């Protein structure tokens, strides 16, 4: 029996899921057809096509075939080659404390998806590293963060 992390993300299994949804016949080419559309953090576990239990879901769209699927955050980075950076760390941080500073990865993500309005992106960026915010700033930040969380944190992964 094989032990350890090597077998938990089964690349063969992931490949068997991704290739039929892609135009290219080799994974190395096929993976470049995919772009990240959305992310979600779920309270309950689901499984990645590789077989691993996951709570961090990355929704992908194939730009050639139009197919959609999802994989976990580890597989999206390791195998698909899409770098989610500190996006999930940032989401977990505001999930634990909605008045916490929003990190740059979350701000970029939320702005690109239209979750932020007017001066909100500028406000979040200018206060992203600030240690002491005024009560008004903290309240504004919490209001925005809750809206971001509404779009990204779910009980169960959304069927999309
Ligand atoms: Zn996986």
């Amino acid at each position: 029996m094989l032990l350890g992390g090597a077998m938990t993300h089964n690349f063969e299994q992931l490949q068997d899921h991704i290739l039929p949804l892609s135009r290219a016949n080799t994974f190395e080419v096929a993976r470049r057809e995919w772009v990240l559309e959305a992310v979600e953090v779920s309270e309950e576990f689901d499984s990645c096509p590789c077989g691993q239990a996951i709570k961090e879901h990355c929704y992908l769209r194939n730009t050639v075939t139009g197919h959609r699927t999802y994989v976990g955050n580890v597989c999206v980075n390791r195998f698909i080659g899409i770098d989610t950076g500190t996006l999930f760390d940032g989401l977990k941080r505001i999930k634990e404390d909605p008045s916490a500073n929003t990190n740059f990865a979350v701000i970029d993500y939320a702005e690109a998806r239209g979750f932020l309005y007017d001066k909100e992106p500028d406000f979040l960026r200018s206060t992203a590293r600030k240690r002491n915010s005024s009560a008004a700033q903290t309240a504004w930040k919490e209001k925005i963060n809750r809206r971001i969380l509404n779009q990204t944190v779910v009980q169960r992964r959304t069927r999309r």
Side-chain angles (χ1 to χ4, degrees):
M1 185 182 165
L2 286 158
L3 297 171
M7 289 302 292
T8 56
H9 297 274
N10 188 321
F11 176 64
E12 296 283 308
Q13 210 173 305
L14 181 83
Q15 191 171 254
D16 288 348
H17 174 77
I18 294 291
L19 277 180
L21 301 173
S22 309
R23 178 178 289 171
N25 298 316
T26 61
F27 188 80
E28 190 47 37
V29 179
R31 70 179 179 85
R32 296 189 204 119
E33 297 172 5
W34 295 87
V35 293
L36 181 68
E37 274 205 317
V39 300
E40 270 179 1
V41 178
S42 65
E43 305 283 349
E44 294 173 19
F45 279 108
D46 199 338
S47 27
C48 179
C50 75
Q52 176 76 357
I54 54 163
K55 286 183 172 180
E56 298 173 344
H57 314 275
C58 299
Y59 294 90
L60 303 174
R61 180 173 54 84
N62 188 298
T63 55
V64 180
T65 64
H67 284 300
R68 286 184 160 81
T69 190
Y70 72 96
V71 301
N73 187 36
V74 172
C75 280
V76 88
N77 284 275
R78 190 184 294 173
F79 300 129
I80 308 292
I82 295 172
D83 183 9
T84 53
T86 55
L87 179 57
F88 283 99
D89 288 339
L91 288 174
K92 276 184 270 183
R93 185 171 174 201
I94 60 170
K95 179 172 176 269
E96 279 160 28
D97 176 8
S99 67
N101 286 342
T102 324
N103 77 14
F104 290 107
V106 172
I107 300 167
D108 291 346
Y109 175 82
E111 185 177 30
R113 267 99 194 147
F115 303 162
L116 307 179
Y117 308 113
D118 306 322
K119 292 176 179 168
E120 291 175 351
D122 289 341
F123 164 67
L124 291 180
R125 287 195 177 94
S126 68
T127 57
R129 292 206 174 104
K130 226 176 154 197
R131 286 176 184 276
N132 300 304
S133 299
S134 70
Q137 285 176 327
T138 303
W140 191 12
K141 191 161 282 193
E142 181 164 351
K143 182 187 155 197
I144 303 167
N145 283 342
R146 287 195 185 281
R147 192 190 313 132
I148 296 171
L149 291 169
N150 279 339
Q151 302 283 347
T152 50
V153 176
V154 294
Q155 187 64 33
R156 292 184 57 81
R157 182 181 65 79
T158 316
R159 306 284 155 190
R160 41 170 111 189

